[in-house]
Amino acid sequence: MQGYILRRIIASIPVIMFVGLFTFSLLYLTPGDPAAIMGGQDATAEDIERLREKLGLNEPFHVRLGKWLGTVLRGDLGDSILLHKIKVTDLILSRVEPTLSLAVLSFLIAVVPAIPMGILAAWKANTWIDH
């Protein structure tokens, strides 16, 4: 069993890397400039250029990808583009509790009636209840 789990984890590494590369590449495929969005409507051209330099948007793709992978592996997902100076990790953590609450409630709504129904269907096999 441990060997199976280890093989599954190793097999997931290329998938995770592909998803990461695809996600990072979306920045180049989406219209607009992240620095201009973060700077807001009142930002001057100098402010936007300074922000582009701070974010590393002037660097080549492979350099930015390497830096991004390094920060992601350390658990730093960066700052939010829309909510200035708020870490993405903090935003995710602030939504973990409601997400887990919904997941547990959904699980209970699905499983609580399913177990007795399954027991009843097995007990009354090949009857109208089973079908």
Side-chain angles (χ1 to χ4, degrees), residues 75-83 85-95:
D76 180 13
L77 300 177
D79 296 333
S80 171
I81 291 176
L82 299 176
L83 303 172
K85 298 181 181 178
I86 298 178
K87 296 277 187 194
V88 172
T89 308
D90 295 338
L91 290 173
I92 292 171
L93 290 176
S94 71
R95 287 162 176 87

Side-chain angles (χ1 to χ4, degrees), residues 49-66:
E49 188 58 37
R50 196 173 325 114
L51 192 54
R52 287 182 59 78
E53 189 67 37
K54 177 186 170 201
L55 296 173
L57 297 174
N58 295 334
E59 296 174 348
F61 178 82
H62 65 281
V63 173
R64 289 181 51 207
L65 178 63

Side-chain angles (χ1 to χ4, degrees), residues 2-48:
Q2 292 172 346
Y4 174 76
I5 293 172
L6 183 62
R7 283 193 305 273
R8 297 298 292 179
I9 290 171
I10 291 172
S12 67
I13 291 172
V15 173
I16 292 169
M17 292 180 73
F18 175 76
V19 169
L21 177 64
F22 180 75
T23 303
F24 184 79
S25 300
L26 284 177
L27 182 63
Y28 286 94
L29 299 174
T30 55
D33 182 13
I37 293 170
M38 288 179 76
Q41 294 177 355
D42 298 333
T44 64
E46 294 82 26
D47 293 337
I48 293 173

